[in-house]
Amino acid sequence: MKALVIGASGLVGTHLMQAGRQRGWQMTGTFVGSPRADLILLDMGDATAIQKVVGSERPDVLFLAAFNPNVDECERKPQETRKTNVEGNTNVIAAANTADIPVIYYSSDYVFDGLNGPYRETDMPNPLNEYGRQKLAVEQLLAKESPRSVVIRTTVVYGQEELGKNFLYQVLRALREGTDLSVPTDQISTPTFAPDLAEASLDLAEKKVTGIFHVAGPDILSRFAFAEAIADAFGLPKNHLKPITTAALMQAAKRPLKAGLVCEKIRQTLSAWKRHSIADNLHTLRNSRGCWH
């Protein structure tokens, strides 16, 4: 297989590149803000450049993992963030459609309102914030314009990451520096291990399926409980983890509280796919090489 990963320097993109190369795939990736020698610079706002890259690479599948993940920035600057998150993604989808290449796009449980999660693929989206509305807009575009596409909804993705942005690193930094970290007790989700997400993505590409799939971890827990699990796994004191309600955080964007994703559909589609518990994943990370010590 030959794949093009748009947004290959981020958490999801990095693990897609690694997993694909381990399978012997020919992997090409792009970046915009975080340079890497093995990646191509590509601005998603430049439709001509996108057409050129997609046309020259001619991949069997295009993984679309580029998105501004700052939920509060999306809320404060909806027009500015839509330039990347909606218009930029639209440019990529148009180029893929022109070349007749299937797209695998990464969405979120933030397309739901968090009143009755965890959610299935058949549940009706009702985003509470601009980030969720932007994700849903791209989902709807794919459903209309790209019938060979796959939408993967995921949530709270964590794992080893060069940029060190995901929640795992936020917790580790705070506890090692002795800095108080306020963590909500009322945001429920199903945290997703990045390598498990990457393997599922490649499996779906190989199987040539279409439609919406939820891909997340098996544990349903609060963000605070997740932070405590990280502290326990890495042998760090928990006294700097401060429980707080989401309302008390006074964030710009509303958060879905009872969220998370049910993954029965993908488990039925991919009988060999394995997902691992948070405890197992944190143990693996604790004992792996990386910036953990």
Side-chain angles (χ1 to χ4, degrees), residues 1 20 28 35 38 43 49 73 80 82 92 114 118 125 127 133 145 147-148 162 165 185 204 242 251 254 259 263 279:
M1 293 279 283
T28 302
D38 61 331
D43 179 359
E73 184 178 357
E80 182 177 325
R82 274 185 173 254
V92 175
R133 288 189 288 272
E145 303 289 344
R148 295 175 62 201
E162 192 172 315
K165 290 183 177 181
T185 58
L204 289 172
K242 304 301 179 183
Q251 294 164 304
K254 293 181 180 179
C263 298

Side-chain angles (χ1 to χ4, degrees), residues 45 57 105 152 213 237 272:
E57 292 298 325
Y105 170 71
I152 293 179
F213 289 86

Side-chain angles (χ1 to χ4, degrees), residues 91-102:
N91 290 337
V92 175
I93 292 165
N97 286 345
T98 298
D100 194 27
I101 295 164

Side-chain angles (χ1 to χ4, degrees), residues 118-132:
Y119 292 94
R120 300 175 186 274
E121 291 86 351
T122 52
D123 290 325
M124 187 64 67
N126 184 34
L128 295 177
N129 54 45
E130 176 64 17
Y131 176 86

Side-chain angles (χ1 to χ4, degrees), residues 6 16 65 67 74 84 88 124 127 129 143 150 161 168 191 216 251 259 266 269:
I6 306 295
L16 283 170
F67 208 87
C74 289
T84 296
M124 187 64 67
N129 54 45
V150 173
E161 177 187 19
L168 171 65
Q251 294 164 304
I266 189 166
T269 304

Side-chain angles (χ1 to χ4, degrees), residues 3-23 25-30 36 38-40 63 198 202:
L4 176 62
V5 180
I6 306 295
S9 62
L11 175 60
V12 174
T14 294
H15 285 272
L16 283 170
M17 296 290 287
Q18 291 173 354
R21 285 168 176 162
Q22 287 171 359
R23 292 194 187 194
W25 288 27
Q26 184 178 338
M27 304 296 294
T28 302
T30 74
R36 265 192 9 213
D38 61 331
L39 303 180
I40 299 169
F63 294 99
L202 299 179

Side-chain angles (χ1 to χ4, degrees), residues 80-221:
E80 182 177 325
T81 54
R82 274 185 173 254
K83 289 180 181 178
T84 296
N85 290 350
V86 179
E87 295 170 21
N89 276 281
T90 298
N91 290 337
V92 175
I93 292 165
N97 286 345
T98 298
D100 194 27
I101 295 164
V103 173
I104 295 182
Y105 170 71
Y106 293 87
S107 189
S108 166
D109 63 345
Y110 273 35
V111 300
F112 299 109
D113 56 24
L115 298 179
N116 196 33
Y119 292 94
R120 300 175 186 274
E121 291 86 351
T122 52
D123 290 325
M124 187 64 67
N126 184 34
L128 295 177
N129 54 45
E130 176 64 17
Y131 176 86
R133 288 189 288 272
Q134 291 177 5
K135 286 287 189 186
L136 184 58
V138 180
E139 284 192 20
Q140 292 170 336
L141 175 68
L142 282 165
K144 181 181 178 183
E145 303 289 344
S146 186
R148 295 175 62 201
S149 67
V150 173
V151 170
I152 293 179
R153 293 185 184 136
T154 190
T155 178
V156 192
V157 182
Y158 67 98
Q160 196 162 342
E161 177 187 19
E162 192 172 315
L163 300 177
K165 290 183 177 181
N166 69 80
F167 184 68
L168 171 65
Y169 286 85
Q170 295 172 27
V171 173
L172 290 176
R173 274 195 298 268
L175 298 187
R176 285 171 174 160
E177 294 168 3
T179 304
D180 287 350
L181 183 66
S182 296
V183 187
T185 58
D186 56 350
Q187 289 184 31
I188 308 300
S189 65
T190 48
T192 309
F193 193 41
D196 290 347
L197 174 60
E199 294 296 339
S201 302
L202 299 179
D203 288 345
L204 289 172
E206 288 179 344
K207 206 170 180 67
K208 294 182 170 59
V209 297
T210 62
I212 298 173
F213 289 86
H214 288 179
V215 181
D219 300 285
I220 304 173
L221 74 172

